[in-house]
Amino acid sequence: MADRRQDETNTAHNEAMKRQQAEHRAKMREKKQTERGLLMINTGDGKGKSTAGFGTVIRALGWGHKVGIVQFVKGAWKTGEKEFFTRYPNLVDMYVMGDGFTWDTQDRAQDIASAEKAWAQSRTMMESGVYDFILLDELNIVLRYDYLDVAEVLAGLEARSDRTSVMVTGRNAPEALVVVADMVSEIKAVRHPFENGIKAKQGIDY
Ligand code: ATP
Ligand code: MG
């Protein structure tokens, strides 16, 4: 009789513990969800996707956050942002795809190799656990050209450190990326000076 009561007490105890454990796990999941860095996408045909990315870089730096930038664009072009971070090299870790190469050749194989190198760099930074914010500027563009495999990019973003928020920019964000992102902003073009024959302006467009 005493044994049976003992068994019942044990079973009740075990069940209570299981319930407690399940509650604890759910809480941890919730916590992890809310404390995890965000995946954000700036897409659409309007101007301001990269600009918003660099605005967020400044905001993060203001709080002393550790910031990384990878630009999936041809590195031979001079841009204000590259000039700025070259002048202040300690502010961020910046990597420009194909920097140091000549981009006059229309070499697809070379473009793919450069995109892969830039992506490998992005993955290393995302997994390192040292960055609070990483801007992957124009990643959508190389995905659009099929220079990188979307599934591989999704896996890399998913494998990022919990502390790291990532912002991906570029037109035509692939649907597979859009569905998993925490934030998706689509910038709509209402008017662009280019339509009126106004050329790209230094300090505004590049
Ligand atoms: P920005 O870098 O100025 O924030 P963006 O990242 O939104 O622009 P991209 O698609 O990366 O836009 O294009 C970069 C360049 O193309 C910039 O010089 C930008 O002014 C220009 N551009 C952006 N939208 C348009 C448009 N709708 N028509 C013509 N040119 C555009
Ligand atoms: Mg851009």
Side-chain angles (χ1 to χ4, degrees):
M1 200 55 191
D3 273 359
R4 217 174 98 197
R5 212 172 310 139
Q6 188 69 36
D7 285 349
E8 280 168 7
T9 309
N10 286 345
T11 309
H13 174 80
N14 288 346
E15 274 168 12
M17 290 315 282
K18 254 192 225 160
R19 263 200 310 278
Q20 226 177 63
Q21 206 173 46
E23 275 167 28
H24 175 71
R25 283 210 185 111
K27 253 192 212 139
M28 289 306 288
R29 257 202 308 274
E30 210 174 282
K31 193 169 165 215
K32 196 174 168 213
Q33 207 67 36
T34 51
E35 284 184 2
R36 193 175 192 202
L38 299 171
L39 174 58
M40 296 165 280
I41 301 176
N42 298 342
T43 194
D45 63 0
K47 173 183 161 61
K49 301 173 288 292
S50 298
T51 316
F54 283 99
T56 312
V57 166
I58 290 172
R59 187 170 276 174
L61 289 174
W63 292 108
H65 291 182
K66 174 87 174 153
V67 175
I69 302 170
V70 180
Q71 283 196 303
F72 290 81
V73 289
K74 297 183 177 188
W77 296 100
K78 264 197 172 186
T79 63
E81 59 269 26
K82 205 164 91 176
E83 294 298 301
F84 180 80
F85 289 117
T86 304
R87 210 172 303 145
Y88 303 100
N90 298 326
L91 284 181
V92 302
D93 295 335
M94 186 167 182
Y95 183 94
V96 182
M97 186 176 102
D99 232 358
F101 284 89
T102 310
W103 283 95
D104 296 335
T105 51
Q106 293 288 315
D107 189 342
R108 191 166 188 272
Q110 172 76 74
D111 283 0
I112 291 172
S114 293
E116 280 171 352
K117 222 168 122 190
W119 171 246
Q121 175 69 21
S122 309
R123 262 202 97 137
T124 304
M125 286 161 91
M126 286 192 292
E127 282 168 30
S128 69
V130 301
Y131 294 93
D132 300 289
F133 180 68
I134 298 177
L135 174 61
L136 301 179
D137 192 33
E138 313 301 348
L139 173 60
N140 290 337
I141 306 303
V142 293
L143 285 170
R144 175 73 169 178
Y145 290 160
D146 284 329
Y147 287 177
L148 294 174
D149 180 37
V150 179
E152 157 63 21
V153 168
L154 283 175
L157 291 167
E158 183 52 37
R160 76 186 186 277
S161 159
D162 276 353
R163 72 174 283 187
T164 307
S165 288
V166 176
M167 189 174 272
V168 175
T169 81
R171 299 163 179 235
N172 303 115
E175 190 55 26
L177 205 57
V178 167
V179 295
V180 299
D182 297 293
M183 185 214 81
V184 182
S185 287
E186 186 169 357
I187 300 185
K188 180 181 177 294
V190 175
R191 186 175 307 116
H192 193 283
F194 189 73
E195 295 159 35
N196 291 317
I198 301 168
K199 277 196 261 169
K201 280 203 189 307
Q202 186 184 66
I204 302 286
D205 292 301
Y206 60 91

